[in-house]
């Protein structure tokens, strides 16, 4: 059937993509990834700094998702806490995708591989990065997929499930249309995109274990990360 994006859907995509591009980790922070020496301690510190900055970026992006600020305040917090790790996997996946000649791909991969993280998390993590890279998402899809991830209604402690579901539904309808228009040769593209969200959920589980294994070696996180990940 002829897929058409309505005027208000176009406006929705524009506001989300603009927010996605407007809120990024400042260059003077990310360029440290290129400059600092390589040691497990230094790599862990840098990744901690990046994650902390990324959470701040994520909060600003989320506030620009139409309808988010009209949700119950406590639900807003529950959605951010529940989706932070998944949103950061999506963001770091974009940075690691070879398609973006951003100069960070190799150094970030190197630092993640040597940051005191145990081997058992590397495999699922880098499999995810590979599966995201294969999708070759355009920025509209990346921005909308991040919004869809944040607006996942079944996060712990969400009270008004329906309100969140309605917002997510709106995003999914637009995302599906974009996928059909952007990848006419691949009718399964949208389904594959949603499959990545399922994979992200499993990474959440690995990440929780990663945090405890890091804490065992008494690695320090920042107050913001402790807050959002309920550690320490
Ligand atoms: C606390 C820390 C040790 C940690 O614990 N788990 C994870 C994690 C790891 Cl390993 C992998 C996935 C998810 C998480 Cl959450 C991390 C590091 O998380 C991050 C989070 C976001 C970003 C964005 C970056 C980035 C670089 C260049 C450019 C840009 C850019 O946006 O331009 C972004 S690096 C980076 C590192």
């Amino acid at each position: 059937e002829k897929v058409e994006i309505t005027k208000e859907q176009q406006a929705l995509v524009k506001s989300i993509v603009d927010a996605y591009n407007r809120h990024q980790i400042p260059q003077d922070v990310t360029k440290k990834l290129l400059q600092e020496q390589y040691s497990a301690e230094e790599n862990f510190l840098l990744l901690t700094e990046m994650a902390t900055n990324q959470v701040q970026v994520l909060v600003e992006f989320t506030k620009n998702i139409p309808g988010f600020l009209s949700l119950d305040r406590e639900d807003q917090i529950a959605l951010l806490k529940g989706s932070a790790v998944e949103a950061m996997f999506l963001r770091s996946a974009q940075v690691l995708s070879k398609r973006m000649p951003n100069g960070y791909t190799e150094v970030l991969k190197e630092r993640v591989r040597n940051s005191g993280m145990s081997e058992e998390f590397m495999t699922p993590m880098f499999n995810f990065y590979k599966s995201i890279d294969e999708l070759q998402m355009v920025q509209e899809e990346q921005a909308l997929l991040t919004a869809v991830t944040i607006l996942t209604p079944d996060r712990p402690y969400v009270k008004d499930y329906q309100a969140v579901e309605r917002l997510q539904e709106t995003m999914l309808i637009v995302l599906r249309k974009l996928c059909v228009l952007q990848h006419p040769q691949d009718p399964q593209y949208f389904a594959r995109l949603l499959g990545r969200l399922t994979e992200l959920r499993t990474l959440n589980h690995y990440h929780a274990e990663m945090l405890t294994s890091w804490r065992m070696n008494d690695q320090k996180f920042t107050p913001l990360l402790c807050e959002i990940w309920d550690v320490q």
Side-chain angles (χ1 to χ4, degrees):
E1 94 282 10
K2 179 98 187 64
V3 165
E4 256 183 34
I5 295 202
T6 65
K7 279 260 161 290
E8 68 258 354
Q9 285 174 332
Q10 257 167 0
L12 179 72
V13 172
K14 185 175 176 346
S15 73
I16 287 181
V17 170
D18 289 349
Y20 194 72
N21 292 331
R22 197 167 52 246
H23 302 296
Q24 310 231 345
I25 300 179
Q27 284 272 357
D28 60 313
V29 175
T30 53
K31 75 173 186 298
K32 290 182 182 175
L33 286 167
L34 307 168
Q35 292 164 341
E36 303 297 329
Q37 39 137 358
Y38 282 85
S39 71
E41 294 72 30
E42 186 56 42
N43 293 342
F44 181 84
L45 279 175
L46 277 173
L47 288 173
T48 300
E49 188 175 358
M50 295 304 139
T52 304
N53 277 271
Q54 190 66 47
V55 168
Q56 290 159 340
V57 164
L58 191 63
V59 170
E60 289 315 307
F61 167 68
T62 305
K63 282 158 65 176
N64 286 271
I65 298 174
F68 182 83
L69 291 177
S70 50
L71 289 172
D72 172 280
R73 205 116 188 77
E74 288 170 352
D75 283 356
Q76 292 176 28
I77 307 288
L79 292 178
L80 274 166
K81 284 173 71 126
S83 65
V85 170
E86 294 175 22
M88 293 207 272
F89 264 104
L90 284 175
R91 185 70 195 173
S92 52
Q94 191 190 339
V95 177
L96 288 172
S97 81
K98 299 189 247 319
R99 208 169 24 86
M100 269 171 58
N102 52 29
Y104 290 111
T105 306
E106 284 322 307
V107 292
L108 182 58
K109 198 175 286 184
E110 183 53 35
R111 293 192 187 274
V112 168
R113 282 199 185 284
N114 176 24
S115 60
M117 199 188 298
S118 50
E119 272 309 304
E120 70 183 286
F121 304 128
M122 295 285 183
T123 313
M125 179 187 287
F126 282 97
N127 285 344
F128 175 75
Y129 286 141
K130 189 166 163 293
S131 65
I132 286 285
D133 198 25
E134 283 159 3
L135 284 172
Q136 301 279 317
M137 275 190 276
V138 297
Q139 68 167 356
E140 289 82 356
E141 290 161 344
Q142 274 155 11
L144 276 171
L145 192 67
T146 304
V148 163
T149 302
I150 294 163
L151 294 170
T152 300
D154 60 336
R155 298 294 187 194
Y157 314 112
V158 168
K159 297 174 294 188
D160 190 347
Y161 184 97
Q162 273 74 25
V164 182
E165 195 178 35
R166 265 195 306 274
L167 284 182
Q168 190 191 44
E169 186 68 27
T170 308
M171 302 288 155
L172 282 167
I173 291 165
V174 182
L175 182 55
R176 192 186 68 78
K177 287 186 176 180
L178 275 178
C179 290
V180 170
L181 293 170
Q182 191 73 38
H183 309 269
Q185 85 292 349
D186 183 357
Q188 292 314 315
Y189 187 86
F190 178 60
R192 284 162 58 215
L193 217 48
L194 297 189
R196 298 289 69 78
L197 294 186
T198 310
E199 195 175 351
L200 269 175
R201 295 284 190 118
T202 62
L203 289 171
N204 243 335
H205 160 75
Y206 281 117
H207 190 265
E209 288 178 36
M210 207 151 77
L211 288 182
T212 41
S213 74
W214 267 324
R215 278 181 50 221
M216 239 70 111
N217 323 330
D218 88 5
Q219 295 280 19
K220 285 271 165 288
F221 298 109
T222 57
L224 180 58
L225 292 178
C226 291
E227 170 86 24
I228 203 146
W229 288 339
D230 293 329
V231 290
Q232 250 116 349

